[in-house]
Amino acid sequence: MPLIPEEPQIPESAQGPRVTPAAGRTAPTPRPVPGPRSAATPRPGNPGRGPARPAPPAQRPHPAPPMPAAPAPAVAPAPAARKLPDAGSAAQFQLIPAPAGGAVDAADEAVDLLLDSGRAPGDILVLTTGEQHPWAAHELSFGEAAYWAQHDAGDDVFFARAANADRCASRSVIIVAVNGDLDEASARALSDARERAGVLLIVCGDPQKVNSALGAGV
């Protein structure tokens, strides 16, 4: 019977030092080697390709910084006061050239200049030859009684149509805005205004129409 050679025995001294776990410590369990990660398995700390994250809300636009206010246009001084020829009173006369569409605005500017100069509001009466002044139209919406009560109080600027000038008491300053055709009634009211004005008569309108209505060169 043939003999099987014995496997060589490795002496214990050649096997290296044997590591003996310290007393009270458990030998660590070998960690398994992770296999290949599928695309469906997300990486820890990484959400992976999950559901699409909703888009962030649109950023509210910041308001643009306010632009500096443009300086108010300088108001040209009114023409030098002149006396009406053959006027029945000592009232001075000023003519402010303006088209029919801008006569009311010119009259409002004249009121502002008078108030800024210290003139009392109750001293001023504004007449329009065409449509009512916006203030008068607004006040008349509350009734004529309340409207004319403000005239009788006499403590503020009053606005009326030139055709109703005979209902208005005389005031120191009368401003006439020629914002419509100068018919016979309006021309007569314009002529009467220079007698009602105690100190100053201002007419805002087309110089040719005003001269024709007054029958005098100004």
Side-chain angles (χ1 to χ4, degrees), residues 95-107 129 176-181 203-210:
L95 173 62
I96 300 179
V104 171
D105 291 337
T129 62
V176 181
V178 184
N179 61 333
D181 294 335
V203 180
C204 306
D206 183 90
Q208 184 176 358
K209 292 182 178 180
V210 174

Side-chain angles (χ1 to χ4, degrees), residues 37-55:
R37 184 178 294 108
S38 64
T41 305
R43 181 180 301 173
N46 186 356
R49 294 186 180 181
R53 181 178 300 175

Side-chain angles (χ1 to χ4, degrees), residues 15-148:
Q15 294 180 0
R18 178 176 299 175
V19 179
T20 303
R25 293 185 58 186
T26 304
T29 304
R31 299 178 62 183
V33 177
R37 184 178 294 108
S38 64
T41 305
R43 181 180 301 173
N46 186 356
R49 294 186 180 181
R53 181 178 300 175
Q59 186 176 5
R60 180 177 301 175
H62 296 285
M67 297 295 293
V75 179
R82 290 170 290 175
K83 290 186 178 180
L84 281 172
D86 302 328
S89 67
Q92 292 181 323
F93 175 78
Q94 287 185 359
L95 173 62
I96 300 179
V104 171
D105 291 337
D108 288 342
E109 291 180 4
V111 170
D112 291 339
L113 289 173
L114 289 168
L115 296 176
D116 291 342
S117 67
R119 178 68 63 176
D123 291 345
I124 304 172
L125 170 66
V126 180
L127 303 174
T128 56
T129 62
E131 295 181 357
Q132 288 276 15
H133 188 280
W135 180 92
H138 176 266
E139 295 301 321
L140 281 169
S141 65
F142 299 101
E144 288 200 11
Y147 169 73
W148 287 107

